[in-house]
Amino acid sequence: MKVLIFGAGNLLLSDEGFGVHLVKYLADNYSFDDDVELYDGGTLGFMASHKLEEADRVFMVDVITTPGEPGALYRFEKDAFIGRTIPIKMSPHQLGIQEMLLLSEIRGRCPDQVTLFGVVPKSYEAGIELSPELAVRLPQLAGMIQQELQAEGIRMEARC
């Protein structure tokens, strides 16, 4: 099973880059089975849909525009965001994850298993560092993804 961990966001706007920061954190601190790909999707939107469509299992990470305390972490399955049972605009990207998934779904190429981990941002100020509220979420979210992968028999080990 090919697994994709897709981090979205703009590294130049502090917390907006959370998904990309998470992919880098995972690459620096963990090793994975060969069938796991870490992908910095940045703000590519539709331009990165081929990565999604090549995978059997997808974990997406992005900031979400929803009420809540900065750093609040939410988990959604594909039906919730394609079915629009959560807010229409989850992230501040011009073309967000929902639109990318919907396009893949229409084309009949969207994987069945897609999980979105969304975090509420504190700041969109210019800068390349996460706010402290979001920085502390990196190891927590890595642990959550590790548990899910291990439950599916996929190796994700912390590097010494």
Side-chain angles (χ1 to χ4, degrees), residues 46-80:
F46 292 133
M47 300 294 290
S49 62
H50 68 285
K51 284 296 187 185
L52 169 85
E53 294 171 357
E54 294 168 354
D56 301 302
R57 175 73 169 104
V58 178
F59 294 95
M60 304 187 96
V61 182
D62 199 1
V63 293
I64 55 174
T65 304
T66 190
E69 292 295 315
L73 189 59
Y74 295 89
R75 183 184 186 282
F76 303 103
E77 291 301 323
K78 180 174 94 170
D79 291 343

Side-chain angles (χ1 to χ4, degrees), residues 50-131:
H50 68 285
K51 284 296 187 185
L52 169 85
E53 294 171 357
E54 294 168 354
D56 301 302
R57 175 73 169 104
V58 178
F59 294 95
M60 304 187 96
V61 182
D62 199 1
V63 293
I64 55 174
T65 304
T66 190
E69 292 295 315
L73 189 59
Y74 295 89
R75 183 184 186 282
F76 303 103
E77 291 301 323
K78 180 174 94 170
D79 291 343
F81 42 95
I82 287 186
R84 303 196 187 276
T85 57
I86 58 175
I88 297 294
K89 200 62 172 171
M90 296 184 312
S91 79
H93 309 310
Q94 194 65 13
L95 296 173
I97 286 176
Q98 284 172 303
E99 292 86 357
M100 183 173 68
L101 287 169
L102 188 55
L103 175 64
S104 292
E105 188 76 12
I106 289 168
R107 295 186 334 189
R109 297 181 186 162
C110 190
D112 291 334
Q113 291 184 289
V114 179
T115 301
L116 170 70
F117 288 102
V119 64
V120 177
K122 179 177 183 180
S123 170
Y124 293 125
E125 297 289 321
I128 59 171
E129 300 293 325
L130 292 173
S131 66

